């Protein structure tokens, strides 16, 4: 058994267990919040899913997901935009990730990968559904979908998105920039 820790998912040792035909399954208390698993089959493709509540309104979360200052506050220091295409540059990566913004409002932010890099993101869609959290604030239901069955990079992708969700939450709640990718 290999556990891939998610920074925001419960106590140390909880995370994702590699098992079954599609590889990843949530274990621990988060199995109740994500009943199908952190990675679930969607026909012939896989989707990575996370969910968290943020102590902030939807406008604040939307700003974190849809503005230069927001995206550089939690993801990477080097983000550019041309029309509806976002260019995310990362240290040591040969070319930027290119994501076309399909929707950006207080209900959802949706990006579609249109670049050739990284190859394992080809044709994938990133969706951030925003709703009112039961105790106040905003519930963010995240998915990164469209991975082919058997995608070898999924454990690394899931671990990274778990960490990024923590960074997003911290940034939206405090306004203090702390991007995951900096050098």
């Amino acid at each position: 058994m290999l556990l891939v820790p998610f920074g925001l998912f419960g106590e140390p040792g909880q995370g994702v267990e590699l098992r079954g035909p599609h590889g990843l399954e949530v274990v621990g208390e988060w199995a109740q919040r994500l009943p199908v698993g952190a990675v679930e089959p969607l026909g012939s493709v896989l989707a990575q899913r996370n969910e968290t509540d943020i102590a902030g309104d939807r406008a604040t979360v939307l700003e974190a997901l849809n503005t230069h200052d927001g995206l550089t506050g939690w993801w990477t220091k080097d983000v550019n935009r041309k029309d509806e295409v976002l260019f995310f540059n990362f240290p040591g990566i040969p070319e930027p990730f290119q994501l076309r913004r399909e929707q950006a409002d207080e209900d959802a932010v949706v990006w579609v990968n249109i670049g050739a890099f990284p190859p394992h993101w080809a044709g994938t869609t990133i969706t951030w559904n925003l709703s009112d959290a039961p105790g106040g604030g905003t519930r963010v239901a995240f998915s990164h979908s469209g991975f082919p069955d058997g995608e070898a990079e999924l454990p690394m992708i899931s671990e990274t998105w778990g960490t990024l969700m923590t960074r997003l939450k911290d940034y939206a709640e405090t306004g203090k920039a702390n991007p995951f990718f900096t050098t």
Side-chain angles (χ1 to χ4, degrees), residues 43-95:
S44 63
V45 297
L46 296 177
Q48 196 278 320
R49 300 187 186 279
N50 284 320
E51 186 175 276
T52 192
D53 292 343
I54 294 177
D57 60 23
R58 290 190 205 192
T60 300
V61 176
L62 177 61
E63 184 177 321
L65 293 170
N66 194 48
T67 67
H68 180 268
D69 288 347
L71 293 167
T72 59
W74 62 273
W75 195 356
T76 183
K77 288 184 358 178
D78 191 355
V79 177
N80 298 290
R81 175 179 282 154
K82 181 177 181 188
D83 299 322
E84 295 300 313
V85 178
L86 298 161
F87 298 88
F88 293 89
N89 292 291
F90 300 96
I93 301 300
E95 62 183 88

Side-chain angles (χ1 to χ4, degrees), residues 77-147:
K77 288 184 358 178
D78 191 355
V79 177
N80 298 290
R81 175 179 282 154
K82 181 177 181 188
D83 299 322
E84 295 300 313
V85 178
L86 298 161
F87 298 88
F88 293 89
N89 292 291
F90 300 96
I93 301 300
E95 62 183 88
F97 291 27
Q98 297 178 43
L99 303 171
R100 184 180 59 240
R101 185 176 59 180
E102 297 286 314
Q103 179 179 347
D105 57 42
E106 289 189 13
D107 293 322
V109 175
V110 179
W111 302 328
V112 175
N113 183 60
I114 61 169
F117 194 86
H120 54 275
W121 279 31
T124 62
T125 300
I126 296 168
T127 304
W128 315 81
N129 287 308
L130 310 179
S131 61
D132 296 332
T138 303
R139 173 155 293 161
V140 179
F142 166 85
S143 70
H144 190 170
S145 61
F147 295 102

Side-chain angles (χ1 to χ4, degrees), residues 29-40:
E29 98 177 72
W30 281 87
Q32 281 84 46
R33 292 275 305 268
L34 300 170
V36 182
V39 175
E40 63 184 69

